[in-house]
């Protein structure tokens, strides 16, 4: 099974390269992460991979646990989400309409990666929340 062994080692190398890239981005973004998310620790407690479809050489969205805070790491920039959030804020400020007053998670976007505030996925508690969701 030499081909299988080669493919397995290639996948392990890709996973390790990606792990080191996530850690390097965390280290390089230490000050902006502290400013944007109040990350107080320099130590990553855990990294959960596989939170989405793999792209490139196995890169997926992952959850990075730092102390009591969880951040979502994305292996791409989130400029479109930042633009959308700013647009909603501007529309709310200009019109005062509550439909533009939507909570959006905190984000920090780099050139080729981004960090997003982790939000819990909770079920709707009542019909009014279902209506708001949709």
């Amino acid at each position: 099974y030499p081909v299988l062994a080669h493919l397995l080692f290639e996948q392990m190398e890709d996973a390790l390269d990606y792990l080191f890239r996530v850690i390097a981005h965390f280290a390089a973004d230490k000050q902006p992460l502290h400013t944007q998310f109040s990350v107080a620790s320099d130590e990553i407690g855990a990294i959960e991979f596989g939170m989405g479809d793999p792209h490139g050489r196995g890169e997926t969205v992952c959850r990075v646990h730092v102390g009591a805070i969880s951040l979502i790491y994305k292996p791409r920039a989130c400029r479109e989400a930042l633009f959308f959030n700013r647009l909603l804020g501007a529309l709310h400020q200009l019109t005062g309409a509550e439909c533009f007053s939507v909570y959006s998670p905190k984000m920090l976007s780099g050139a080729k990666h981004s960090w997003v505030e982790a939000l819990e996925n909770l079920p709707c508690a009542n019909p009014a929340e279902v209506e708001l969701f949709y």
Side-chain angles (χ1 to χ4, degrees):
Y1 300 96
V3 174
L4 177 60
H6 173 74
L7 291 173
L8 288 173
F9 279 112
E10 198 173 82
Q11 193 168 19
M12 287 181 0
E13 287 176 353
D14 289 346
L16 283 173
D17 286 345
Y18 184 54
L19 174 64
F20 287 127
R21 194 170 323 115
V22 171
I23 294 169
H25 285 155
F26 179 81
D29 295 339
K30 184 171 63 169
Q31 186 56 46
L33 288 171
H34 174 72
T35 302
Q36 184 70 7
F37 302 103
S38 301
V39 172
S41 177
D42 292 344
E43 294 182 24
I44 295 173
I47 300 176
E48 296 175 46
F49 292 99
M51 299 183 69
D53 296 334
H55 298 278
R57 299 193 59 101
E59 297 176 350
T60 65
V61 172
C62 56
R63 182 183 292 256
V64 179
H65 299 274
V66 184
I69 296 174
S70 288
L71 299 172
I72 303 300
Y73 174 88
K74 295 185 177 189
R76 62 177 181 80
C78 282
R79 289 183 292 272
E80 72 287 344
L82 290 171
F83 171 78
F84 182 72
N85 292 345
R86 280 190 230 118
L87 178 63
L88 283 176
L91 289 170
H92 179 65
Q93 187 175 12
L94 288 171
T95 66
E98 285 303 310
C99 63
F100 297 121
S101 177
V102 178
Y103 181 80
S104 58
K106 297 176 191 173
M107 293 179 202
L108 178 65
S109 185
K112 294 188 177 187
H113 70 282
S114 57
W115 301 93
V116 181
E117 173 186 12
L119 301 176
E120 294 304 316
N121 185 10
L122 302 172
C124 296
N126 54 52
E129 287 184 2
V130 173
E131 185 177 326
L132 178 63
F133 178 79
Y134 287 102

